[in-house]
Amino acid sequence: MSTLRTTVRRISSQERGFTLMELVIAMALGTVVSLAGLGFLEFATSDVSRINERVHVDQTARVALERIMLRLHTACLVTSVAPIRTGSNENEMKFISAAGGEAALSKLQLHEIVFTKPSGSKKGTLVENIYEPTKSSELYEFGKSREYTFSAKPVSTVKLLTGVKNSERSGETLPLFRYYRYYRSTDPLPTGYTATPYQLLYPTPLASSSLEKAEEAESVVKVEVHFTAVPEGVEPATFEHDRAIPLEDSAVFRNATASETTPNGPCQPAN
Amino acid sequence: MSLRARVRREDGVTLLVALGVTFVTGVLLVAVFASSRGELHLTATDTAAKKAYYAAEAGIQDYEFHITQDGNYLSYCTEPTPANPALNQYYKENTKEALKTSELKTVEVSPAAENGETLPKTEEFYALRLLPAESDKEKYPKCNRTNLVESMVEEKGPTTGSFRVMSTGFSDGETRTLVATFHNVNFVSFVWYSVYETGDPSLYGEAPSGQPATYWSECEKFYNLRPKRCEVFNNYFITGESVNGPMHTQDHVGICGKPIFGRSSTDNIEFGNGGSSVGEGYSGETGCKESEVTPEFKGTHITPAKVSAITPPPGDEELQHIVEPAYDYQGMTEIVLEGNTMTVKKDYAYNASTEKLEPTVVTKNVGYPPSGVIYVAGNCLPYSPFGPTPGYYEKGTESCGDVYVRGKYYTSLTIAAQNDVIIDGNITTETNSEGIPSGNALLGLVANNFVRVAHPVEKLYKKPSGGCKNEGYVSFRGTTYKIQDPESATHPGYCEYTNEAYKVKPSGSVTEWEAIDACDTTNETGSTHPLEPVEDLKEPVIYAAVLALKHSFIVDNFDCGSPSLGNIKLYGAIAGLFTNGMTGVFSGKTAVHGYGYNLIYDNRLQIEEPPHFLNPIQAAWQIQRQTLLTEP
C-alpha cells in the first residue's frame, strides 16, 4: 500500500511530458494518417462495389450471350430450311430454333434478337421477341421444302440485357451481328487457290442490306455476336473505364463437313 | 552515434509505414479477391459449359464416324465390334425408366492426333444413348438387334426413316445434351436413283462414220446440255406409270400425261434439273404439250434448288478388297441361290460340240461368305444390249467379270461383278402372302457396268433395198455381224445372219442395213430356244437392291420381242448412272416390246442395306437435325 502511494506521488511530482508542439504535430500526423486511411477505405469500398457491378454485368451478359448462342446451336432443324431469316441485319437477328429430343419436335419458334443502341442517357438494350408458327402440322419433315409462317406479333418478349453497346476493336466499331457464307464460284479466288474453295467461309461478312434478299439470308452459315455490356451507374474515370465488358461468340450452322467441290449452304447434310 | 546505438533506438515511423502498407495491400487484396472470385467462377462455369457442349458434339461425331464407315453400325445397337464403350441404351433393362447421367458409360474425349503425334486426353467425357423409336410398340423399348427397324427407326409421321442418338457431354460438373437425328440417304434410299434420265450412250453403238468417237458419249450430260441427237433414248414417264417409293434423279425429268410419283407424302421425289436450281425439274417431252404434263405427286416433290447431289463412287473394285479369297471368283460365274447355300459354276471353257461355254467346276452347297460379299472379277469388252444373242455363255466371254444370278436367298448377300450382273431367273426371298419380305435377308446386285435381265430373243433384219448379201458384214449399233444366209427361208423378206457376233470390227466390206425393226418371237417361250440354259423370263420377280455404277439397269433386247412376258416385278431399289427405264418399248401405257415395270420400294432399305453395299461418295447416314435437349 505504501509502495503504490509512493509511486503516485513520485509521478505527480514529475514535470516531464509532451510539449504542446509535440501534441499538435502528433495530432496533425494522426489526422493525416486517419484521412489517408479513410480515403483508402472509401476507395476500397467503392472499388469492391465497382467490381461487384462489373461481376454482375459480366454474369448477366454472359447468360444473355449463352442464351443466344444455345438457341443458335439448336437452329439446324430441317435441312431444307435455313436458320437465318430474311430481314436480319447488324442490329437485328431473326432465326428459327427449337430444342428437344422428340422425333418430331413440336415447338419451332422464330427468335428475333433486337439491339437498340444507347442514345443520350438511354442505355442500349438487347431484347428477344419470340414468334410461333401459324401452322404446326407440317413441321420438321426432312428434305421437304417448307415455308413457315409465323404470328405477326410475338408471343413473348424478354429483355435479355440492359446497358449494351457496340464493341470496338482497333478503333473500329463492330456490328452486333455479323453474318458469313461459304465461297461461291463468282467470288474472287483467295491467294494460293486455283479453284473456288467451296468449303471455306468467305472472309467478308455479308452486308446487312443484302440480307433483305431471301437468297442471301438462306446462305448464312456462320453468325458472330459481339457486344459490350456496361454496368449500371456512372462510369468512374479510374481504371480506364474498364467496367465495360466486351463479349463475343460465334455459331456455325453445319451438320456435315462442307463439300470442296460443290456450293455449300447452312445445315446441309453431306453434299 | 554508433551503429549499435542507432539500432537500439526505438523511435521513428516504421510502424506507421508498415501499418499503411499493410492496409493498402489488404485493400488491394480484397479488391482482387472480390474481382477474381466472381469472374473466375463465371469464367470457369462458362468454360465448363462450353466444354461440355463440345464434348457432346464429339459424341455425335463419334457415332457419325462409325456409321459412315459401316452403314450397318446401327444394327449392332450397343455391341459393335470393336466395342464402343460410350454406347448406352436409353432405358434401364426391362423398364421404361431412363438411365440417369450418373449411370451412363462414358468415354473421355480424345483429341485427334496431329502429324502422327498422339495428344493427351482431355478431362471431358461423353456418353451416347440410342433413343428408341417413338413408333415402337414394345413394352420396354430399346435398341433390339433382332427387331431393329421397329425398335429404332421411326415408321410414321414426318420423321419416317430416321433414328436418334443422344449425346451428353460432361465437364467439371457441367453437362450439355444434344440429340442428333440421322436419316439414311444412299442408293437404297430410293426406289429409283439415276444421275442422267437418258439411255446409256452405249445403246447408240459406234459413232457414225465421219463423226468423232465421242459422238454418242456426249449424251452423258444433263438434259439442257445434251445434244439434240440424244433425244432418241431420253426416258419419260407417262400416264399409267407409277414410281412406288422415294425417287432421286439429278437430271431433268421428262413427263407426258399423268404418271404418279411416290406412295405418300413421306416419299421424297427429288428432281435435280441437271445441277440448275431453277424450275420444277420436269417438263413435257417432244410431242407432248405442256398442258399435257400433269404429274401426280403423291410423294413430296422436291424442287431442284433443294436437291443435293448424290455422287456414285467410280467403281465397285473396293469390294474386291473386302471379299474373302474363296469368294473372289475370276471370269464368268453362275450363282444359283438355294436358301442358305448356293451352287457356284465357274471356270467356263468352250465346248465345241455345243458351241457354248460350259463350266468346268460346279460346286454345290457353298455356304454364304462371312463378309457377305461375292466378287466376280475380269475385264471385258463393252457389252451391247442389242444383238441377236447378246453374249450369253458365248465364246470369248469366259474371262469377262460377268455373273449370272437366280434363285432364293435366306441370308443377306451382296454379289458384285467387275463387268455385268445378268439376272437369268427369279430371285426371291421369304415373303408373306402379300409378297412382302418377311425375313431380314437383303440381296445386293452391284455391277460396274450393267445389271441386265436376260431376254434372249432373236432378231431378223429386213431385206435392204439392195437385197441380201451373199457375203459380207452388217453393222448395227456398234456390233458387226457376219452375213451367212442371204435370205431367210422361214421368214421371207428378211435376211438372216449367223449368231456369231464380232466384237472387233473385221476388215472387209461393211454394209449398213436399211431397216432393222423386226424380231423373231418364236423362241420366246424358251422351249425351243437355242441358247439354253438362258431362257426368256415370264413375269420375272426380283427381290434385290440393284446398283449399276457406270451404266444402268437394262433388259437385253428391250426393243424386241412380243410383249407376252408380262411385267418385271422388282421389289427393292434400283440405281444406275443412266435411266433405269430401258425395260421395254411402250405405246401409251402398253408395252409393245420387252417388259412393263412393276417397281416397289422395300421399306427395310430405309435403314438397312445389303452387306457392304456401296454408298455414295459422301456419308450414307446423315445428320438431318441436331438440337439441344432442353430449352436454353
Side-chain angles (χ1 to χ4, degrees):
Chain A
M1 188 66 182
S2 60
T3 306
L4 177 63
R5 195 176 297 138
T6 306
T7 304
V8 170
R9 191 179 299 139
R10 192 181 71 234
I11 291 171
S12 60
S13 64
Q14 286 180 353
E15 293 180 354
R16 289 175 60 192
F18 293 107
T19 63
L20 182 61
M21 188 58 70
E22 285 174 333
L23 193 60
V24 168
I25 290 170
M27 287 175 65
L29 282 173
T31 305
V32 168
V33 169
S34 298
L35 286 175
L38 283 172
F40 277 122
L41 194 62
E42 186 184 347
F43 168 76
T45 307
S46 69
D47 200 46
V48 167
S49 169
R50 184 183 73 89
I51 288 165
N52 280 340
E53 284 178 10
R54 179 186 157 94
V55 168
H56 174 70
V57 79
D58 188 3
Q59 190 166 16
T60 51
R62 279 180 191 274
V63 168
L65 181 61
E66 180 76 347
R67 180 182 168 111
I68 295 170
M69 297 317 298
L70 288 178
R71 290 210 191 286
L72 288 170
H73 281 314
T74 194
C76 279
L77 304 175
V78 191
T79 53
S80 56
V81 178
I84 298 296
R85 312 297 285 178
T86 309
S88 296
N89 57 45
E90 63 182 27
N91 295 321
E92 198 172 315
M93 176 168 58
K94 297 176 182 176
F95 62 98
I96 57 169
S97 174
E102 308 98 314
L105 297 175
S106 56
K107 207 180 173 187
L108 174 84
Q109 291 176 328
L110 174 69
H111 299 269
E112 184 182 54
I113 312 292
V114 181
F115 167 53
T116 305
K117 289 188 174 186
S119 172
S121 61
K122 202 172 177 184
K123 292 186 174 298
T125 57
L126 264 184
V127 172
E128 179 182 23
N129 296 316
I130 299 172
Y131 301 81
E132 290 191 345
T134 50
K135 294 178 187 174
S136 59
S137 58
E138 296 181 334
L139 301 179
Y140 312 120
E141 294 191 53
F142 294 133
K144 303 290 170 65
S145 178
R146 297 284 184 225
E147 285 303 325
Y148 299 114
T149 50
F150 293 92
S151 55
K153 291 183 178 178
V155 292
S156 70
T157 297
V158 180
K159 184 175 275 189
L160 299 176
L161 198 59
T162 302
V164 188
K165 65 177 185 179
N166 288 104
S167 294
E168 293 185 358
R169 184 187 292 161
S170 305
E172 176 200 0
T173 300
L174 298 173
L176 208 85
F177 304 115
R178 294 211 290 196
Y179 308 89
Y180 295 85
R181 60 169 172 79
Y182 283 115
Y183 262 92
R184 294 174 179 152
S185 59
T186 51
D187 295 329
L189 295 179
T191 308
Y193 285 86
T194 55
T196 304
Y198 290 113
Q199 75 280 16
L200 298 184
L201 288 171
Y202 192 67
T204 308
L206 288 162
S208 277
S209 56
S210 70
L211 294 171
E212 291 296 330
K213 299 176 191 168
E215 184 185 334
E216 289 292 274
E218 289 175 5
S219 71
V220 174
V221 293
K222 180 185 175 185
V223 174
E224 281 181 359
V225 183
H226 303 260
F227 63 80
T228 293
V230 184
E232 296 284 338
V234 179
E235 182 68 5
T238 52
F239 294 98
E240 299 179 344
H241 303 279
D242 73 340
R243 292 202 310 163
I245 298 172
L247 293 171
E248 65 177 69
D249 209 337
S250 64
V252 178
F253 307 120
R254 186 162 63 194
N255 277 337
T257 309
S259 167
E260 296 182 9
T261 54
T262 56
N264 294 289
C267 301
Q268 271 184 193
N271 200 356
Chain B
M1 190 181 290
S2 67
L3 180 61
R4 181 177 297 172
R6 266 188 282 161
V7 169
R8 192 176 292 156
R9 288 181 60 184
E10 293 179 352
D11 56 347
V13 293
T14 307
L15 181 61
L16 286 178
V17 171
L19 284 173
V21 169
T22 305
F23 182 74
V24 171
T25 307
V27 167
L28 290 175
L29 278 174
V30 168
V32 168
F33 179 72
S35 170
S36 59
R37 190 183 66 157
E39 296 203 19
L40 275 177
H41 177 70
L42 280 176
T43 307
T45 306
D46 200 25
T47 304
K50 281 184 166 55
K51 283 182 175 179
Y53 173 81
Y54 287 107
E57 277 252 22
I60 298 292
Q61 288 175 13
D62 175 350
Y63 200 87
E64 188 182 20
F65 168 78
H66 283 105
I67 204 162
T68 302
Q69 296 294 308
D70 180 354
N72 290 323
Y73 196 71
L74 175 64
S75 67
Y76 313 133
C77 289
T78 57
E79 298 163 338
T81 304
N84 184 342
L87 285 170
N88 298 270
Q89 297 280 5
Y90 183 70
Y91 294 111
K92 291 179 185 173
E93 186 72 20
N94 295 328
T95 71
K96 280 198 80 172
E97 183 185 345
L99 287 162
K100 296 172 185 169
T101 52
S102 59
E103 296 169 330
L104 296 173
K105 291 184 292 178
T106 62
V107 296
E108 196 168 354
V109 176
S110 297
E114 290 181 353
N115 302 324
E117 179 188 357
T118 304
L119 301 176
K121 288 192 172 183
T122 65
E123 292 183 354
E124 285 70 54
F125 299 83
Y126 62 82
L128 294 167
R129 280 174 279 184
L130 302 174
L131 284 167
E134 290 176 354
S135 54
D136 186 16
K137 298 286 188 294
E138 287 294 314
K139 186 178 179 184
Y140 302 124
K142 67 172 186 176
C143 183
N144 185 344
R145 295 185 67 168
T146 59
N147 193 20
L148 185 67
V149 177
E150 289 78 5
S151 68
M152 284 302 294
V153 179
E154 301 301 333
E155 292 191 315
K156 59 183 180 182
T159 54
T160 298
S162 66
F163 75 92
R164 293 165 296 147
V165 172
M166 180 183 283
S167 175
T168 302
F170 303 85
S171 178
D172 201 16
E174 294 290 321
T175 62
R176 288 282 185 273
T177 299
L178 294 171
V179 177
T181 305
F182 288 80
H183 200 253
N184 185 303
V185 180
N186 56 26
F187 298 122
V188 297
S189 300
F190 308 97
V191 71
W192 181 289
Y193 164 90
S194 69
V195 177
Y196 305 105
E197 267 306 303
T198 190
D200 195 296
S202 67
L203 301 184
Y204 296 96
E206 291 179 349
S209 61
Q211 297 295 339
T214 58
Y215 189 76
W216 294 121
S217 62
E218 287 174 5
C219 294
E220 188 176 334
K221 289 180 178 171
F222 289 119
Y223 180 77
N224 290 328
L225 304 173
R226 281 197 290 272
K228 189 88 174 164
R229 59 181 175 273
C230 305
E231 285 183 354
V232 176
F233 286 118
N234 273 357
N235 184 46
Y236 58 99
F237 295 87
I238 60 173
T239 304
E241 289 186 322
S242 57
V243 177
N244 299 311
M247 173 178 174
H248 173 98
T249 178
Q250 279 153 233
D251 205 353
H252 185 92
V253 173
I255 290 174
C256 192
K258 195 176 183 181
I260 298 170
F261 293 95
R263 302 163 298 179
S264 67
S265 63
T266 57
D267 287 341
N268 280 359
I269 307 298
E270 302 180 358
F271 296 163
N273 210 15
S276 168
S277 61
V278 298
E280 297 294 305
Y282 65 87
S283 64
E285 281 291 305
T286 306
C288 191
K289 297 175 187 171
E290 283 301 313
S291 60
E292 295 172 336
V293 182
T294 54
E296 181 180 349
F297 289 103
K298 286 187 177 176
T300 302
H301 175 212
I302 308 298
T303 54
K306 306 288 185 186
V307 174
S308 297
I310 300 173
T311 309
D316 67 4
E317 286 78 4
E318 68 179 84
L319 292 176
Q320 200 171 8
H321 303 301
I322 293 169
V323 68
E324 291 89 355
Y327 296 90
D328 185 7
Y329 302 119
Q330 186 69 41
M332 182 185 292
T333 305
E334 182 176 342
I335 294 173
V336 182
L337 303 169
E338 295 160 336
N340 289 316
T341 61
M342 54 191 169
T343 295
V344 178
K345 303 176 183 179
K346 59 179 185 173
D347 297 342
Y348 278 77
Y350 185 67
N351 183 330
S353 61
T354 60
E355 297 185 341
K356 300 304 294 180
L357 296 175
E358 292 178 355
T360 58
V361 176
V362 177
T363 312
K364 295 189 174 182
N365 298 319
V366 178
Y368 279 35
S371 68
V373 178
I374 291 172
Y375 194 84
V376 178
N379 282 314
C380 200
L381 287 165
Y383 148 83
S384 168
F386 304 106
T389 56
Y392 304 123
Y393 301 101
E394 195 160 320
K395 185 181 180 183
T397 61
E398 57 268 38
S399 63
C400 284
D402 288 339
V403 58
Y404 291 73
V405 184
R406 64 178 182 274
K408 190 166 188 175
Y409 60 95
Y410 299 151
T411 303
S412 290
L413 179 69
T414 292
I415 300 174
Q418 193 170 1
N419 191 44
D420 294 343
V421 173
I422 301 151
I423 299 166
D424 64 351
N426 288 342
I427 298 176
T428 58
T429 186
E430 296 169 291
T431 63
N432 61 19
S433 58
E434 296 172 346
I436 298 171
S438 55
N440 290 324
L442 292 168
L443 177 69
L445 300 175
V446 181
N448 246 350
N449 293 323
F450 289 91
V451 176
R452 297 155 45 188
V453 176
H455 183 222
V457 296
E458 290 190 350
K459 285 183 178 178
L460 291 173
Y461 297 100
K462 270 186 181 175
K463 187 176 180 179
S465 58
C468 296
K469 307 289 184 184
N470 287 327
E471 286 295 333
Y473 301 90
V474 58
S475 175
F476 177 58
R477 291 174 179 165
T479 304
T480 302
Y481 304 104
K482 184 179 180 182
I483 304 165
Q484 195 171 46
D485 187 352
E487 179 77 23
S488 169
T490 53
H491 298 86
Y494 291 85
C495 299
E496 284 192 350
Y497 49 87
T498 67
N499 285 340
E500 188 175 0
Y502 287 82
K503 298 293 183 187
V504 181
K505 190 176 177 180
S507 59
S509 63
V510 175
T511 305
E512 190 79 36
W513 288 31
E514 290 175 351
I516 307 169
D517 61 0
C519 303
D520 179 0
T521 61
T522 57
N523 287 327
E524 286 197 337
T525 61
S527 59
T528 60
H529 203 284
L531 301 175
E532 296 289 357
V534 176
E535 297 180 0
D536 289 311
L537 308 173
K538 186 83 173 174
E539 296 186 338
V541 178
I542 303 164
Y543 283 81
V546 169
L547 174 60
L549 285 168
K550 296 177 182 175
H551 292 278
S552 63
F553 175 80
I554 199 167
V555 169
D556 291 334
N557 295 310
F558 67 83
D559 66 341
C560 200
S562 66
S564 59
L565 300 171
N567 292 337
I568 295 175
K569 178 185 176 184
L570 195 146
Y571 198 102
I574 195 162
L577 185 65
F578 295 94
T579 185
N580 305 298
M582 299 300 164
T583 62
V585 176
F586 300 86
S587 174
K589 59 182 188 180
T590 306
V592 293
H593 296 297
Y595 295 93
Y597 235 139
N598 186 9
L599 187 56
I600 305 164
Y601 187 58
D602 184 344
N603 286 328
R604 296 176 304 162
L605 294 170
Q606 286 179 333
I607 57 140
E608 282 188 281
E609 54 188 24
H612 298 285
F613 200 77
L614 292 175
N615 285 322
I617 288 174
Q618 294 286 355
W621 282 98
Q622 299 174 341
I623 297 176
Q624 299 284 313
R625 173 193 298 157
Q626 190 168 302
T627 53
L628 286 162
L629 181 62
T630 52
E631 192 74 27

